[in-house]
Amino acid sequence: MRPGPTTRARVREVSAGVVRDHRDDLATEEPLEIRIQAGEARRTLAITMRTPGHDFELAAGFLYGEGVITPQDVSSIAYCTDDDVPPEARYNTVTVRLRGGPLPDLPGLDRHFMTSSACGVCGTASLDALRGRCSPLPAGDDLRISPEILYGLPHRLRERQGVFGRTGGLHAAGLFTPEGELVTVREDVGRHNAVDKLVGRALMDGRLPLGGHILMVSGRSSYEIMQKALAAGVPVVCAVSAPSSLAVDLAREFGMTLVGFLREERFNLYSAPERVVR
């Protein structure tokens, strides 16, 4: 059976001394194995704990963010039907088929990734590694966003979190225009997975890079979130909570605008404040 984003469970609720048994919806968390294939050669690159749904986007976004593929490399993405995958695991295994040639040389990915829903494991584990494959975003771009637009982003994102509304247990990432229009929203038990799904959707639609857009994430902004946004060319990243120190370092070095504590008509600007004007 194909897993869905929610799972039904029986719970015992205790409230003000009153006990009630009932069914409730939980956010589903299951592993997703990501494989790449070129010709007859194939390899597992990652096993990530995720909320089922938009799995092809997740695979494409993860591989793009780690520098494994470009949009032109992808021939097809499908659930795996290899003989070594049991039927019950086929909706938890995705194969990204590449166009021709051998498998890419992946010295930085010589191990299998094992990423949790709480914190992904980056293939590029430091700013030094990022410098080798990512360029700073244009310092002189004309993107300007008003504080009033930023104030509205958390509410607009929350309005579209359908699975969160049923479970209370998912993070979200939303892609917005400078005018505050929501382009895409994705949910997952992991913030980094939600961002991968957004980037993967843009890759599959031929919309990368995402210059002139805003990324809004629930929770905090981490190095991983900033790395994925940088790879996708997103110049502005907003979060409702605090950034990590390495997230701030990355944003400052690569010319990204990083907004934290965006809630109740206030926020902090940690880098490239010139993009936010009254």
Side-chain angles (χ1 to χ4, degrees), residues 195-254:
V195 174
D196 280 336
K197 290 177 180 180
L198 282 184
V199 174
R201 182 70 266 160
L203 181 148
M204 295 165 73
D205 291 342
R207 293 190 291 114
L208 291 176
L210 291 170
H213 286 80
I214 306 166
L215 174 65
M216 176 78 209
V217 297
S218 61
R220 64 186 178 86
S221 51
S222 63
Y223 169 82
E224 298 151 307
I225 300 297
M226 300 305 296
Q227 173 199 348
K228 294 174 187 298
L230 173 64
V234 179
V236 180
V237 178
C238 302
V240 299
S241 191
S244 69
S245 62
L246 197 55
V248 173
D249 290 345
L250 189 158
R252 290 176 176 173
E253 175 159 347
F254 288 91

Side-chain angles (χ1 to χ4, degrees), residues 5-6 25-28 51 160-170 187:
T6 62
D25 286 322
L26 306 179
T28 305
T51 297
R160 293 288 298 275
Q161 290 181 247
V163 182
F164 177 85
R166 294 165 58 190
T167 67
L170 286 185
E187 295 181 279

Side-chain angles (χ1 to χ4, degrees), residues 4 20 106 123 139 160 182 203-204 209 261 273:
R20 183 170 69 98
L106 305 171
R160 293 288 298 275
L182 181 61
L203 181 148
M204 295 165 73
F261 293 106

